[in-house]
Amino acid sequence: MRLLFLGDIVGRSGRQAVLEALPGLRRRYALDFVAINGENAAGGFGITEAIMDELVQAGADVVTLGNHAFDQKEALVFIERQPRLLRPINYPPGTPGRGAGMFKTASGADVLVINAMGRIFMPELDDPFRAIDAELTACKLKQGADAIVIDFHAEATSEKQALGYFIDGRASVLVGTHTHAPTADQRVLPAGTAFVSDIGMCGDYDSVLGMDVEEPINRFVTKVPKQRFEPANGPATLSGLAVDIDDATGLARACAAFRMGPTLEPAAPPFWAE
Ligand SMILES: [Fe+2]
Ligand SMILES: [Fe+2]
């Protein structure tokens, strides 16, 4: 199974780049499954239902969220009728939406996707380790699902790496999201889970985390907010992780950085023949 996970879409520039590229990428590389973090898709803050529909039409199998999940208040309502939209599973009981879902590929494989949020330098949600452990205990690889994909939306690389080794061998892929800066530590862990601390963002990298540089600089220099954060609107780079999953075991055979766009070094995985 060929899987692509793309990082946080930031604003219109990131959104347009994803919408333009995704149908072609799916065809060109015969992708079986595409997941995208969409927590910053609407003007940098949250997601609207119109954007969610566009992403699915363009070829996203699932869209995950994070600390910005409900920045657009309409998400509290429409998330209930969008089965392909996940928010972190460790929000308190009663939070609208769901944190995990089972999705079918075109060839009939079942893919479990789990979205969770870290607790270091983040809002204090329930324990993500316990929440993910419960899901993986209920759904074992190759028994309950052909592949299991986790988006761990977290700030600290320590927390991400600890979770990686905690679930190693029980999921196909664990990607980190949230920092909007891709790390270069992608690897298959000893027991077979593909891992990267952060897959980066889909947005304009000529920016501070996808935002126009002026206001972030102002806030560091003066400590007085002057205006809203606005997404940078130059050409976007797509950034994510490509994974080759062994259909027999559900574990990763290989993973590689995926980049497409003007700023970062372009990279497509060597194991994706066109
Ligand atoms: Fe984000
Ligand atoms: Fe985030």
Side-chain angles (χ1 to χ4, degrees):
M1 181 184 298
R2 285 183 179 182
L3 175 140
L4 175 64
F5 208 124
L6 291 173
D8 308 27
I9 299 172
V10 183
R12 185 186 305 137
S13 154
R15 222 162 59 225
Q16 278 175 348
V18 168
L19 294 177
E20 275 166 30
L22 196 50
L25 284 174
R26 280 206 83 123
R27 272 195 309 275
R28 182 172 169 197
Y29 295 117
L31 301 182
D32 297 293
F33 199 82
V34 176
I36 311 180
N37 187 294
E39 70 147 8
N40 308 103
F45 298 93
I47 188 166
T48 64
E49 188 160 35
I51 292 172
M52 179 62 198
D53 287 337
E54 281 183 330
L55 291 172
V56 169
Q57 263 169 26
D61 291 290
V62 62
V63 175
T64 54
L65 295 168
N67 52 308
H68 291 292
F70 300 115
D71 284 0
Q72 304 292 325
K73 296 296 169 231
E74 63 170 282
L76 288 162
V77 175
F78 79 74
I79 196 169
E80 295 288 355
R81 56 176 180 254
Q82 289 281 355
R84 294 184 181 276
L85 183 59
L86 302 180
R87 49 84 176 151
I89 196 168
N90 47 332
Y91 270 105
T95 303
R98 62 205 70 73
M102 191 74 81
F103 306 93
K104 235 183 213 345
T105 68
S107 59
D110 290 313
V111 181
L112 174 69
V113 182
I114 307 169
N115 186 195
M117 200 153 95
R119 296 195 295 184
I120 310 293
F121 310 127
M122 302 282 283
E124 285 272 321
L125 300 187
D126 295 345
D127 181 353
F129 287 74
R130 196 178 306 165
I132 289 173
D133 188 53
E135 288 295 314
L136 297 180
T137 303
C139 180
K140 296 215 163 34
L141 205 47
K142 289 314 290 181
Q143 294 175 24
D146 297 295
I148 299 177
V149 180
I150 303 171
D151 171 2
F152 190 38
H153 196 79
E155 181 76 38
T157 45
S158 58
E159 195 178 16
K160 294 172 177 181
Q161 292 178 9
L163 184 70
Y165 285 94
F166 180 65
I167 59 91
D168 186 18
R170 295 195 284 163
S172 318
V173 186
L174 167 61
V175 299
T177 58
H178 174 69
T179 70
H180 293 197
T183 57
D185 60 342
Q186 66 276 352
R187 60 197 187 271
V188 177
L189 299 178
T193 300
F195 172 86
V196 63
S197 293
D198 206 292
I199 50 177
M201 66 167 176
C202 296
D204 177 4
Y205 277 81
D206 190 11
S207 67
V208 175
L209 307 187
M211 297 292 158
D212 269 339
V213 303
E214 204 174 304
E215 180 59 12
I217 292 173
N218 168 63
R219 291 196 195 183
F220 280 111
V221 173
T222 70
K223 301 296 170 189
V224 180
K226 201 186 255 174
Q227 59 188 63
R228 286 161 43 98
F229 288 124
E230 292 290 345
N233 262 326
T237 297
L238 307 188
S239 182
L241 188 73
V243 188
D244 180 23
I245 297 170
D246 184 348
D247 292 334
T249 63
L251 293 168
R253 271 195 294 244
C255 69
F258 176 81
R259 315 248 188 273
M260 186 181 154
T263 312
L264 306 179
E265 193 69 30
F271 48 84
W272 278 3
E274 286 185 30

